[in-house]
Amino acid sequence: MRTKKKDIFLQNLENMADTVVQAADYFSHHVNDLQDVLAFANQMKQYESQCDSYTHTIITGLNQTFITPIDRDDIMDLATTLDDVMDGLESTASRFYMYNLGQPDEYIIQFAEILRQCAYEIQKAVHLLSQKKLLAIREFTIRLNDLENQGDELLRICTKELFATVTDPIELIKRKEIYERLETTTDHCEDVANKLESIIMRNS
């Protein structure tokens, strides 16, 4: 018996979520001990490029298709927010290389773990979207909101510690930007949750 082919839009949204998980896993695992910062940044750029290709496929499909499984704007907005998460991870990794940053501190490692957890929640939620289990998605959007709150609190803690302990102004500027980029990426994860909530309301 032939299985029904998955809708191209939902498939590519799943592909994007899967790539975000791969990137967040790689980021979290390697940021603990950056032996080769250039290789780290290059690998993250590959993940980002892969995500871009899925976004391009979705945009091309929207321009060529009249009937879509959910609202066209919802598809585009969800793809955009997923891409924002990937861009946040990649742009942070690139700055480790550009700024010649030394070994990441405990706060960067904690942010990386929060983002890794966010990525898995996003992946589960997006896969449920394909299965049309909309109400079940709420469990994961609630979790994403909780994780974003953890990111907010971590930014407050690490920024206070930064200004209390780091005297080199250049180092302070570099670390502060890294912290803020990581926290902004947790905001993007919450944006994914908010977009999923909007889809639930419109379609359930």
Side-chain angles (χ1 to χ4, degrees):
M1 182 177 176
R2 178 183 287 181
T3 57
K4 186 178 178 181
K5 186 177 180 181
K6 190 171 290 186
D7 174 86
I8 183 175
F9 300 110
L10 298 178
Q11 179 63 70
N12 278 280
L13 288 169
E14 284 187 5
N15 291 343
M16 292 183 76
D18 293 345
T19 304
V20 168
V21 164
Q22 292 167 20
D25 262 342
Y26 180 88
F27 188 97
S28 179
H29 178 73
H30 286 81
V31 84
N32 281 283
D33 186 21
L34 278 178
Q35 298 291 334
D36 188 337
V37 181
L38 178 58
F40 174 71
N42 286 341
Q43 180 59 57
M44 291 300 297
K45 183 62 180 175
Q46 288 183 36
Y47 288 127
E48 191 263 343
S49 297
Q50 185 64 66
C51 222
D52 282 346
S53 73
Y54 295 132
T55 305
H56 178 72
T57 300
I58 288 171
I59 293 170
T60 301
L62 288 172
N63 288 331
Q64 298 173 347
T65 307
F66 182 69
I67 298 174
T68 56
I70 56 176
D71 186 85
R72 301 166 70 84
D73 288 342
D74 286 339
I75 293 171
M76 192 64 245
D77 289 347
L78 184 54
T80 300
T81 53
L82 286 167
D83 194 54
D84 287 342
V85 174
M86 184 68 254
D87 287 347
L89 286 166
E90 188 277 328
S91 67
T92 304
S94 70
R95 276 158 180 77
F96 288 153
Y97 174 69
M98 288 190 293
Y99 295 167
N100 196 27
L101 199 69
Q103 282 299 316
D105 58 36
E106 61 178 301
Y107 300 114
I108 292 173
I109 292 169
Q110 288 178 50
F111 268 120
E113 175 57 22
I114 289 172
L115 287 166
R116 189 190 70 81
Q117 292 180 44
C118 283
Y120 276 95
E121 302 302 321
I122 288 170
Q123 183 187 45
K124 292 168 191 171
V126 171
H127 279 262
L128 284 174
L129 185 62
S130 294
Q131 299 168 35
K132 298 182 179 178
K133 296 180 179 178
L134 298 182
L135 295 180
I137 291 173
R138 283 224 165 94
E139 173 188 347
F140 305 106
T141 60
I142 291 169
R143 177 67 177 146
L144 283 165
N145 288 327
D146 288 342
L147 288 165
E148 191 276 334
N149 287 336
Q150 290 180 33
D152 284 347
E153 180 61 21
L154 183 57
L155 180 63
R156 284 191 285 271
I157 292 168
C158 66
T159 301
K160 185 176 187 299
E161 177 73 9
L162 180 69
F163 280 91
T165 59
V166 176
T167 55
D168 180 348
I170 301 301
E171 183 67 18
L172 187 148
I173 290 168
K174 290 192 292 186
R175 294 273 172 175
K176 183 172 181 289
E177 184 185 347
I178 294 292
Y179 295 155
E180 289 174 347
R181 279 185 177 273
L182 289 165
E183 192 278 329
T184 298
T185 308
T186 69
D187 290 341
H188 292 322
C189 292
E190 187 177 45
D191 291 340
V192 174
N194 292 338
K195 176 42 61 180
L196 287 166
E197 283 286 351
S198 176
I199 292 170
I200 293 168
M201 286 189 290
R202 269 200 263 255
N203 294 275
S204 57

